[in-house]
Every structure is written in structure tokens, then in C-alpha cells.
């Protein structure tokens, strides 16, 4: 969040509400109505003065649960276009094993394998990302039919990875923990490969909110279950609050590309990210449910009024990690249903298949335009069988 004066690495920030704490610690600028970092106190001086620390925490007990270590939690894109890694320990490692991708800096020539990658597309399902890579193979006019694309991560059953020219297509599984593991290793891969000017896009499915099934949502802001643009990461015993800002220019570029695809609606809206599929998303059909249908609808309507147009389980972590590491990122998801009308997905398989193709078609059009390529004669994905 550009207006937010986040403390630099090696500082301890006291996070809290306005009031007596503000008067004692200095004025704060409160961005977008949520947690505000007050005046940063340097780690060295604070640790040397434990009495001051204890006095502050005793005087302002509301701050105690927000007393946390933050490490340069700001977004930014380097002029060099290189991918950042914000981990000084990597420099002293003789080898970096990307365990869940079955790759490594000693076992593979990462610059030769991936140095020319310009677009990374990630999605939950291995089969879907294989189909997308095959689709991009045809869309880019590459030699062959693309049917024999090899899984670069074939030595592991955690994730699948394929490439079609300058496009890398990777599965990330379901939920924040799974996509977080993949992103850490993917970002290190791009760093070790010395990739430049990489655009990364999450292509997925979601539950819509007040929009018709089959609509494609381009995320302008990823928000949590309280409708706030933040991602809370637990680091040791600290809770670090990270920005979920996505690249606005990329969002607008994708929206412009969508104008050329007229057979389904595309819109911009907030995407709410939750930690599970059932209770966290207000579903009434899980193994556990402690709320009424009225409470569910009231919550979802509040989400809609806050600007949320779809719900999924990865966007806040995706936005936070990509932003911190200098990657221009976007989230593009199709809505499989309108959650204000129900919880279960009942449309036929062939309809779901066509829905899932929609964001892929949009991303393909975007990549072709970036590369200056005309669309191929046939613009269809593989049949649903």
C-alpha cells in the first residue's frame, strides 16, 4: 500500500488503534480503514532498552497482540525487471534444492531451462494447467501438436509444470498453504534463472457473488474474510501483515483484451480469499455448520456491498508474495455459480469445462497481444472428453 509507511527490515513496529497509543507513539496515517503501523522503533535501540519496551506494553495492552517483527513489507518493481528474493540466507547456500518442484541449482541449469520465460500462469488443477499449456502451444503457433508436452516436475507428485515457448504453466493445488509453497519455490526458480520482466497470472475458478455463472472476474483487490486488503502471515510467533496490492496497469490491459471476447461477460471486482471451502465461505452444506441461512445471506450481502464479486482460496497469499518479490501479478477467475443463489455446483460437466476455458482464452489473447501475434484460425481448447 503506497500510502502506508511500513517499517524497513530490522525494525519492530507497534501496531494498534488510534487513541492513547497514538498520542504516545506519534501520529499515524490509517490507510483504507485497517491496522496502522505507528512510528517504527529501531530494533537495536529497543532491545537495549527493555524497560521502555515493557513500559509501552504495560501502558497500552491493546498493542501487545500486535507487537511484531516486519520485514520490508512493501511492493515495488525494480527497473532491471529481475525477480527479487528477500532472503539473505540464500546467498550463503552452496545449493538451493527446490524440493517440491524436483529442481535444483546444482542438478539443473535453470538459466538455460527458464531464462527466457516471460509469462507464468498458475492454477489449481494439474490437468487444467496441462491443457492450458497445450492450448498455448497452438495459440503461439509452435511446432508440433503439443500433445507430448513433458511435465518438468515429473519427479514429484506435488505440482505439475509445463512450458510452451515463453509461457510457463504450473499447478498450485488448493488453498493458501499449497500455493504458498509453490510460489516460494517458483519465485526462487525465476530468480536463479535470471528471468526478467515476468508477468504472473493466477487462472482459476471461484464462487461468484451477485454475478451470473460463467462470468470472468479480473481482481482489482484481493481481500480477506473481513473484506480488508491484507494478508496475515505468521512468522515464528509474529503476525506479519502484508499488502495484497495487484498491478493496476496489468488489470486494465486484461480488461481491454476482454472487450474482444464477446461471448461471455468479464468484469473487475474485489476477490475475497478464505482459508477453506465450507465454513469460511459461509456454506450450509459442509460437515460442520453453526450459522443460519439468514446469517449466511447477510454476510454475503455485506461482502457484495464491500465490492466483492467472487470468492476463492488463494488470491491474498498470491498477491502478497508476488508483490514483495517484484512480480507484476493478476488474478483472473471464472465464477461457477452465484453464491447468493446456492452453495452446490450442479451444472453439467461439459458446461463447467467450457466455463473453465473462459479465463484461459482471455489470458491467451493477452499473451498473443503482448507478443504481437495474430490469433490462430481455430480458437478452441480441447474437447471435454
Amino acid at each position: 500500500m503506497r500510502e502506508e509507511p511500513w517499517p524497513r527490515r530490522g525494525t519492530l513496529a507497534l501496531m494498534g488503534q488510534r487513541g492513547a497509543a497514538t498520542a504516545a507513539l506519534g501520529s499515524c496515517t490509517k490507510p483504507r480503514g485497517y491496522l496502522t503501523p505507528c512510528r517504527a522503533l529501531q530494533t537495536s535501540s529497543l532491545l537495549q532498552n527493555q524497560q521502555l519496551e515493557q513500559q509501552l506494553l504495560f501502558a497500552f495492552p491493546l498493542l501487545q497482540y500486535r507487537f511484531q517483527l516486519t520485514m520490508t513489507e512493501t511492493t515495488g518493481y525494480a527497473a532491471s525487471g529481475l525477480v527479487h528474493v528477500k532472503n539473505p540466507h540464500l546467498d550463503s547456500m552452496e545449493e538451493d534444492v527446490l524440493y517440491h518442484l524436483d529442481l535444483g541449482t546444482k542438478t539443473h541449469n535453470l538459466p538455460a531451462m527458464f531464462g527466457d520465460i516471460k509469462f507464468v500462469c498458475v492454477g489449481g488443477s494439474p490437468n487444467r494447467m496441462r491443457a492450458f499449456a497445450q492450448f498455448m502451444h497452438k495459440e503461439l503457433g509452435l511446432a508440433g501438436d503439443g500433445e507430448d508436452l513433458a511435465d518438468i516436475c515429473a519427479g514429484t507428485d506435488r505440482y505439475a509444470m509445463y512450458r510452451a515457448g515463453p509461457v510457463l504453466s504450473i499447478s498450485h493445488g488448493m488453498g493458501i498453504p499449497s500455493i504458498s509453497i509453490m510460489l516460494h519455490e517458483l519465485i526462487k526458480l525465476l530468480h536463479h534463472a535470471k528471468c526478467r520482466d515476468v508477468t504472473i497470472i493466477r487462472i482459476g475458478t471461484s464462487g461468484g457473488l451477485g454475478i451470473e455463472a460463467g462470468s470472468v472476474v479480473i481482481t482489482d483487490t484481493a481481500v480477506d474474510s473481513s473484506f480488508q486488503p491484507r494478508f496475515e502471515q505468521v512468522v515464528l510467533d509474529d503476525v506479519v501483515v502484508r499488502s495484497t496490492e495487484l498491478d493496476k496497469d496489468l488489470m486494465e490491459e486484461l480488461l481491454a483484451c476482454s472487450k474482444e471476447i464477446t461471448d461471455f461477460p468479464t468484469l473487475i471486482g474485489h476477490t475475497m480469499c478464505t482459508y477453506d471451502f465450507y465454513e469460511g465461505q459461509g456454506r450450509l452444506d459442509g460437515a460442520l455448520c453453526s450459522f443460519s441461512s439468514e446469517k449466511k445471506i447477510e454476510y454475503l450481502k455485506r461482502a457484495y456491498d464491500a465490492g466483492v464479486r467472487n470468492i476463492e482460496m488463494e488470491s491474498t497469499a498470491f498477491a502478497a508474495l508476488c508483490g514483495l518479490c517484484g512480480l507484476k501479478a493478476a488474478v483472473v477467475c471464472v465464477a461457477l455459480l452465484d453464491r447468493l443463489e446456492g452453495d452446490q455446483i450442479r451444472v453439467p460437466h461439459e458446461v463447467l469445462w467450457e466455463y473453465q476455458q473462459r479465463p484461459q482464452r482471455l489470458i491467451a489473447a493477452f499473451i498473443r497481444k503482448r507478443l504481437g501475434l495474430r490469433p490462430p484460425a481455430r480458437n478452441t481448447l480441447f474437447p471435454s472428453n
Side-chain angles (χ1 to χ4, degrees):
M1 291 155 287
R2 295 188 178 92
E3 73 270 36
E4 186 169 296
W6 289 105
R8 298 182 179 276
R9 178 181 299 166
T11 64
L12 288 171
L14 292 175
M15 310 281 286
Q17 302 174 352
R18 290 185 183 270
T22 301
L25 296 176
S27 62
C28 302
T29 300
K30 191 172 186 180
R32 299 174 186 167
Y34 70 97
L35 298 175
T36 57
C38 298
R39 181 187 303 166
L41 301 176
Q42 292 297 324
T43 304
S44 58
S45 62
L46 182 59
L47 294 180
Q48 291 170 5
N49 193 342
Q50 294 184 1
Q51 183 178 5
L52 171 61
E53 174 185 332
Q54 293 301 317
Q55 289 175 346
L56 287 171
L57 293 178
F58 177 78
F60 311 116
L62 288 177
L63 298 181
Q64 293 186 38
Y65 77 104
R66 287 292 173 191
F67 189 60
Q68 59 191 243
L69 176 67
T70 63
M71 300 193 308
T72 319
E73 307 295 9
T74 55
T75 58
Y77 308 111
S80 66
L82 291 170
V83 178
H84 303 297
V85 289
K86 296 189 174 183
N87 181 358
H89 303 290
L90 293 178
D91 295 335
S92 61
M93 294 171 56
E94 293 185 3
E95 178 182 12
D96 191 3
V97 177
L98 309 179
Y99 171 73
H100 300 90
L101 301 181
D102 193 37
L103 296 168
T105 53
K106 279 193 173 181
T107 55
H108 299 79
N109 186 343
L110 298 181
M113 294 174 66
F114 302 103
D116 58 345
I117 290 294
K118 296 298 181 185
F119 306 95
V120 178
C121 298
V122 304
S125 162
N127 289 337
R128 192 189 311 150
M129 299 319 291
R130 181 175 186 271
F132 177 70
Q134 292 172 327
F135 176 49
M136 287 308 307
H137 187 94
K138 293 183 177 182
E139 290 286 296
L140 298 177
L142 302 177
D145 58 11
E147 293 289 340
D148 58 349
L149 290 180
D151 180 2
I152 301 170
C153 299
T156 177
D157 59 358
R158 299 296 183 183
Y159 305 103
M161 178 188 297
Y162 304 90
R163 72 168 293 173
V167 180
L168 204 59
S169 179
I170 314 171
S171 68
H172 59 59
M174 192 179 297
I176 286 174
S178 185
I179 194 174
S180 176
I181 293 169
M182 187 280 292
L183 283 174
H184 273 275
E185 298 188 12
L186 168 65
I187 289 167
K188 291 196 297 176
L189 183 157
L190 297 173
H191 171 74
H192 292 312
K194 298 179 172 58
C195 295
R196 290 178 180 268
D197 302 316
V198 176
T199 298
I200 182 168
I201 303 174
R202 170 169 138 67
I203 306 172
T205 58
S206 63
L209 208 55
I211 60 177
E212 65 178 283
S215 300
V216 171
V217 179
I218 303 171
T219 304
D220 60 355
T221 303
V223 300
D224 63 13
S225 57
S226 298
F227 324 137
Q228 300 299 329
R230 65 189 177 199
F231 174 61
E232 294 190 346
Q233 175 68 54
V234 177
V235 179
L236 303 182
D237 59 347
D238 297 304
V239 179
V240 179
V241 181
R242 292 172 172 167
S243 166
T244 56
E245 183 178 6
L246 291 162
D247 188 84
K248 303 304 182 187
D249 292 336
L250 178 56
M251 177 194 71
E252 294 293 344
E253 192 174 353
L254 288 165
L255 183 64
C257 287
S258 74
K259 304 301 183 184
E260 303 173 8
I261 306 174
T262 58
D263 56 326
F264 58 83
T266 301
L267 63 142
I268 287 177
H270 295 358
T271 295
M272 184 169 74
C273 180
T274 66
Y275 285 96
D276 79 301
F277 185 79
Y278 286 98
E279 292 179 284
Q281 296 186 11
R283 280 186 156 84
L284 303 173
D285 59 339
L288 300 174
C289 185
S290 58
F291 47 86
S292 66
S293 58
E294 292 78 14
K295 282 288 187 181
K296 165 203 161 178
I297 293 298
E298 185 270 336
Y299 174 72
L300 293 181
K301 285 183 176 179
R302 282 196 289 115
Y304 181 87
D305 291 341
V308 174
R309 293 298 177 266
N310 64 331
I311 309 170
E312 45 87 274
M313 296 185 290
E314 294 88 15
S315 59
T316 53
F318 174 80
L321 270 168
C322 292
L324 283 170
C325 294
L327 286 164
K328 296 188 177 183
V331 178
V332 181
C333 292
V334 66
L336 301 182
L337 78 167
D338 181 357
R339 287 296 317 289
L340 291 173
E341 297 180 357
D343 294 337
Q344 296 198 336
I345 302 168
R346 301 180 183 275
V347 297
H349 175 76
E350 58 271 16
V351 175
L352 284 179
W353 180 264
E354 193 276 325
Y355 283 175
Q356 292 175 21
Q357 293 177 6
R358 293 180 176 187
Q360 298 186 21
R361 289 170 55 196
L362 172 55
I363 300 311
F366 161 77
I367 291 174
R368 286 197 316 266
K369 187 173 182 180
R370 276 278 185 99
L371 296 175
L373 299 176
R374 293 181 179 179
R378 293 185 62 190
N379 188 19
T380 58
L381 289 173
F382 303 123
S384 58
N385 59 358

